[in-house]
Amino acid sequence: IVVDVLGLSDVKFEYTGGKWKPKKTEDKRYEKKTGEDMSKISDGLPDFYANKGQRVFLFEFKDIQLNKKVVTSGVYDTIIRATEKELVENEKGRPKGITQLVNDIDKHLADIVGKDRVSEKLYVYPVLVYSDSSFDIEGFNYYLNNRFHEIIRTRNIPSNIHVKDVLMVNLDTLIMFEKAFTDKKLKFDVLINEYISYKNSKEQDQVVPFNKFLFQKAKQKGCFYKASYLVNEMIAEMVEKEKNEKETYER
């Protein structure tokens, strides 16, 4: 199963081994590396990297689920502790989610983009892809973006490296709009800049999650209710499987 994420870069995810993982593609307009590529370079690198010109996209994917009791508790401190554990730092001090993205920028950028490029002016877009729809709720993105900037301010990031707000995006939403990305009616890299400008234009909009913004943009372009190629492929596969099983049974 492959899902188009970046309209221009053709960054994709595939479901393999029971997990969603970024898939390496061959679009020469972007340089890109999968987690498998980067594991050969060094430990602790992001799950996926892509860049075009001065723009650098770093992806960390978290296939986690918050405990249902935590989500429905309605207790702020309980929810925040669970969020910190899963997406900031666990009880053993291991970096998670946004802290991994900070480390990608602070400690590993030269390994990722190349030592000859880290002295250039670069715009870094940290992207956290998640599978738990609990994180679609307004406020999670605001809290984690603030924590991201709190942490990165403690690091010595060169002035030529311009770090953007962390983007949180639900993998299921990307699947839903896969056709729009493939048809380039929506361009992920363009949407990121539009979203950052939108949420920073008014204080009350800073809590608006990217998913909500993406739905609005997709609806404006008339691609909200269109089935993705992924859905059509899955339906076709199921129909074919059922047909084959019926033919086998009738024999």
Side-chain angles (χ1 to χ4, degrees):
I1 299 173
V2 179
V3 184
D4 190 343
V5 177
L6 288 182
L8 289 175
S9 69
D10 202 28
V11 176
K12 298 173 184 289
F13 282 81
E14 61 181 348
Y15 191 77
T16 178
K19 292 184 178 181
W20 286 99
K21 297 179 181 179
K23 179 181 176 65
K24 186 176 181 180
T25 56
E26 300 301 328
D27 190 332
K28 300 302 182 183
R29 290 172 291 180
Y30 273 68
E31 177 189 16
K32 50 196 151 304
K33 298 173 185 174
T34 64
E36 183 179 352
D37 293 330
M38 289 182 286
S39 67
K40 299 173 184 177
I41 301 172
S42 177
D43 294 329
L45 300 187
D47 292 321
F48 198 93
Y49 146 75
N51 93 277
K52 182 180 182 182
Q54 295 177 307
R55 292 175 295 170
V56 174
F57 301 89
L58 303 177
F59 292 80
E60 288 287 352
F61 176 66
K62 292 298 162 190
D63 190 10
I64 58 167
Q65 296 289 321
L66 286 182
N67 187 289
K68 186 177 180 180
K69 291 182 179 179
V70 170
V71 178
T72 59
S73 70
V75 180
Y76 178 81
D77 289 343
T78 299
I79 296 171
I80 290 301
R81 280 197 299 271
T83 302
E84 287 271 337
K85 178 182 175 182
E86 296 291 355
L87 294 177
V88 182
E89 183 179 276
N90 69 12
E91 63 275 8
K92 296 181 180 180
R94 183 177 178 181
K96 295 286 185 178
I98 61 169
T99 308
Q100 289 177 279
L101 286 166
V102 170
N103 289 342
D104 293 336
I105 298 165
D106 176 33
K107 300 179 179 181
H108 306 298
L109 197 59
D111 292 325
I112 297 168
V113 303
K115 294 179 180 180
D116 58 328
R117 296 204 62 206
V118 289
S119 60
E120 299 176 9
K121 186 176 184 179
L122 297 175
Y123 297 90
V124 180
Y125 294 80
V127 182
L128 184 65
V129 182
Y130 58 88
S131 58
D132 185 355
S133 59
S134 298
F135 295 116
D136 292 345
I137 299 172
E138 290 190 359
F140 278 110
N141 63 308
Y142 178 74
Y143 176 80
L144 287 166
N145 184 56
N146 284 340
R147 288 290 285 124
F148 172 82
H149 285 292
E150 285 176 10
I151 297 168
I152 206 162
R153 280 196 295 268
T154 67
R155 309 297 181 89
N156 186 25
I157 307 299
S159 59
N160 61 297
I161 306 298
H162 301 269
V163 182
K164 299 290 187 175
D165 288 349
V166 67
L167 181 81
M168 293 184 63
V169 57
N170 191 325
L171 180 62
D172 286 342
T173 304
L174 296 178
I175 292 173
M176 183 181 299
F177 295 118
E178 183 258 352
K179 178 171 169 49
F181 286 121
T182 302
D183 293 343
K184 295 181 173 52
K185 290 184 177 181
L186 295 173
K187 295 181 179 180
F188 191 73
D189 52 343
V190 174
L191 284 170
I192 292 178
N193 281 329
E194 291 180 344
Y195 170 68
I196 292 173
S197 297
Y198 166 78
K199 73 184 184 72
N200 290 336
S201 62
K202 297 179 182 178
E203 186 174 354
Q204 63 266 32
D205 290 335
Q206 291 182 8
V207 298
V208 175
F210 178 72
N211 273 15
K212 184 175 181 180
F213 179 82
L214 176 54
F215 271 73
Q216 292 172 345
K217 286 292 183 180
K219 189 174 183 180
Q220 289 172 10
K221 294 180 180 294
C223 48
F224 181 65
Y225 292 109
K226 293 182 180 178
S228 73
Y229 294 132
L230 174 63
V231 172
N232 291 331
E233 287 175 6
M234 290 177 67
I235 292 173
E237 287 175 7
M238 288 188 290
V239 170
E240 184 65 23
K241 181 179 179 182
E242 185 177 353
K243 179 181 177 182
N244 291 338
E245 288 177 349
K246 184 178 180 180
E247 289 176 353
T248 301
Y249 177 77
E250 290 176 346
R251 289 172 188 167

